[in-house]
Amino acid sequence: MTVKNQPMSIAVLLGSVRHARMGIRAAKLVMQALAARGHEAVLVDPMEVQLPLLDRMYKEYAPGTAPEMLENLAMLYRRVDGFLIVSGEYNHGIPPAMKNLLDHFLEEYFWRPSGIVCYSAGQFGGVRAAVALRATLAELGMPSVPSECTIPRIASSLDEEGHAQNEHVTHTLDRFLDEFLWYARALKRERLDGTPY
């Protein structure tokens, strides 16, 4: 089976721990869309993993001494083919839970693409958070693909189970995933041949 026909494994990183969060709807949307295409989607929810505020990165622990949750995430990140970042926009920037989740790791992200799924209560769909995320994701070694999936007015655009309530969301997501998965397959082929370092 060629890489083109292989199912991809994708980590979906959710960026909110607010109890009334809408982002879980967007996470469900992309998880369901990936599964419908035959891919594995693994949700990383900071409300469940409850990482502490960053003190030491995973790589700063001696081998075998990292907390179990960090070790589990490191194993997951090393085996996936890409990362989908599901983020709201806080004060024109990255939600603190997302930044904390991302910053615990580094090398585990390398040579894999990321894609940004952003949302907001208003009409702009979280694009200002996406601008900030692009710089962070590139620095972490998982540069984002050119397109993004923006979900404006999330409360009415997605129901509680993550089902799209309008054609704009469906069309945007389909095109976005086509592009993201193309990059995931391309970089997987290159990783099989080795990496620069």
Side-chain angles (χ1 to χ4, degrees):
M1 181 182 291
T2 66
V3 169
K4 185 171 184 177
N5 299 319
Q6 286 180 355
M8 296 284 106
S9 181
I10 307 299
V12 178
L13 278 56
L14 178 58
S16 176
V17 292
R18 297 178 70 171
H19 290 283
R21 62 190 179 164
M22 289 284 163
I24 192 67
R25 298 183 184 196
K28 289 177 180 179
L29 173 76
V30 297
M31 299 274 293
Q32 292 162 7
L34 288 167
R37 290 172 177 238
H39 303 294
E40 177 195 25
V42 182
L43 179 63
V44 179
D45 183 348
M47 190 177 281
E48 292 182 7
V49 299
Q50 296 191 350
L51 295 178
L53 288 176
L54 182 62
D55 175 31
R56 282 192 288 170
M57 295 176 67
Y58 170 74
K59 69 178 186 176
E60 294 173 318
Y61 288 91
T65 67
E68 182 179 6
M69 183 52 67
L70 283 181
E71 198 65 62
N72 291 341
L73 287 176
M75 288 189 296
L76 170 66
Y77 292 173
R78 284 191 290 260
R79 78 170 178 83
V80 298
D81 300 303
F83 299 87
L84 285 178
I85 310 302
V86 178
S87 180
E89 177 182 311
Y90 288 19
N91 300 318
H92 292 208
I94 303 171
M98 175 61 78
K99 191 69 167 67
N100 190 59
L101 180 63
L102 290 171
D103 285 345
H104 274 83
F105 297 92
L106 185 61
E107 289 88 348
E108 291 73 24
Y109 301 128
F110 284 6
W111 322 117
R112 293 161 179 81
S114 62
I116 299 171
V117 178
C118 51
Y119 61 90
S120 68
Q123 65 182 342
F124 296 115
V127 294
R128 291 169 295 203
V131 170
L133 276 165
R134 286 192 186 282
T136 297
L137 296 172
E139 183 64 22
L140 290 172
M142 53 166 164
S144 58
V145 303
S147 294
E148 33 190 70
C149 180
T150 59
I151 305 172
R153 300 182 178 90
I154 189 171
S156 60
S157 293
L158 302 177
D159 69 15
E160 291 185 5
E161 296 306 313
H163 301 127
Q165 301 300 294
N166 61 64
E167 285 299 317
H168 166 77
V169 171
T170 303
H171 177 71
T172 301
L173 179 64
D174 283 344
R175 285 184 54 116
F176 167 76
L177 286 179
D178 286 345
E179 182 177 322
F180 171 74
L181 291 167
W182 185 94
Y183 277 90
R185 289 190 298 267
L187 288 177
K188 182 170 188 171
R189 282 192 298 268
E190 288 299 309
R191 286 197 309 279
L192 291 173
D193 289 334
T195 59
Y197 52 84

